[in-house]
Amino acid sequence: MYMYVSLCVCVYVYIYIYIYIYIYIYIYTYIYTYTYIGTGDSICVLGTASGRGLKAVEVTRRHLPSDFEERNRILQSGGEIRRQDSEGGSEGEGGGGRGGVQGVRVYARGSDLPALHVTRSLGHSRGKRIGVQATPDVCVRKLVQEDRFVIIASQGVWRFLTKQEAVELVGQHQWADDASWELVSEARRRAQVCE
């Protein structure tokens, strides 16, 4: 009888420990992890506490024609990468940008279309024929104690604010609504100054 009771207790303790470990792993894996899936010019920046305040950590990358891998895929698929001139047309590797937006764009060979500034886009049928794809980058990251917040924004913010400036600005606010409003307002203010 004694052996039976001690065996039951051991099995019970073993099951209890197994369940506890399983729950801990589940919580750590799924609650203390975030996943970002993105295409195009949106990126994810993490605000992390450091010894001197907050530090910006870029978690993902933009899918732009200036990226080596993205550029090669477009060229191998029959697309061209050129800069736009100020009138909206294209001119080889030189020139400015349409509407004040400078940078390289993706074109079909011998055409002025589709003139995309990203190499990955959802649902762009013309771009698909020249290597623009919808396959996103998937980033899974374990959160650590120093991680404070995540900023997910597109070119409209990153063109006017550095990642560090954005993290410092967001870090001044307690509520996400206030922080996002301030971030967009500052980007808009700087855009108006540039016009």
Side-chain angles (χ1 to χ4, degrees):
M1 175 78 170
Y2 176 74
M3 200 159 121
Y4 175 75
V5 170
S6 91
L7 181 63
C8 286
V9 169
C10 285
V11 169
Y12 175 75
V13 169
Y14 176 75
I15 291 172
Y16 176 77
I17 290 172
Y18 177 78
I19 290 172
Y20 178 77
I21 290 172
Y22 178 77
I23 290 172
Y24 178 77
I25 290 171
Y26 176 82
I27 289 172
Y28 185 78
T29 302
Y30 295 104
I31 293 179
Y32 297 111
T33 301
Y34 75 84
T35 302
Y36 173 77
I37 301 170
T39 63
D41 63 0
S42 295
I43 60 168
C44 179
V45 173
L46 183 66
T48 303
S50 67
R52 299 172 292 154
L54 291 170
K55 181 175 107 177
V57 177
E58 187 171 334
V59 179
T60 58
R61 66 186 178 102
R62 290 182 237 183
H63 301 118
L64 301 175
S66 55
D67 182 81
F68 181 75
E69 291 175 24
E70 299 291 314
R71 179 184 193 95
N72 283 342
R73 187 185 69 250
I74 297 297
L75 295 175
Q76 289 174 359
S77 299
E80 291 181 345
I81 297 181
R82 296 176 275 167
R83 289 195 180 275
Q84 278 193 322
D85 66 20
S86 57
E87 284 77 40
S90 61
E91 59 170 55
E93 291 296 318
R98 186 164 86 198
V101 179
Q102 296 183 359
V104 293
R105 299 209 178 234
V106 177
Y107 297 90
R109 196 169 306 277
S111 173
D112 281 338
L113 294 173
L116 295 172
H117 77 284
V118 294
T119 56
R120 297 194 192 196
S121 174
L122 299 175
H124 204 289
S125 59
R126 280 189 179 165
K128 188 175 183 180
R129 290 181 241 152
I130 56 170
V132 175
Q133 58 180 246
T135 306
D137 276 344
V138 178
C139 172
V140 178
R141 181 182 165 105
K142 298 268 187 223
L143 295 174
V144 294
Q145 187 174 3
E146 291 79 21
D147 296 341
R148 297 294 183 250
F149 53 84
V150 173
I151 302 171
I152 300 172
S154 67
Q155 183 90 6
V157 169
W158 303 125
R159 196 163 148 237
F160 301 103
L161 291 162
T162 67
K163 289 147 196 83
Q164 187 61 40
E165 288 172 331
V167 163
E168 289 171 3
L169 194 135
V170 168
Q172 296 172 4
H173 297 278
Q174 182 177 2
W175 303 104
D177 288 349
D178 296 338
S180 60
W181 179 260
E182 183 71 26
L183 187 64
V184 170
S185 297
E186 181 61 19
R188 184 177 293 140
R189 186 188 68 74
R190 291 185 184 190
Q192 290 170 348
V193 169
C194 291
E195 289 180 347

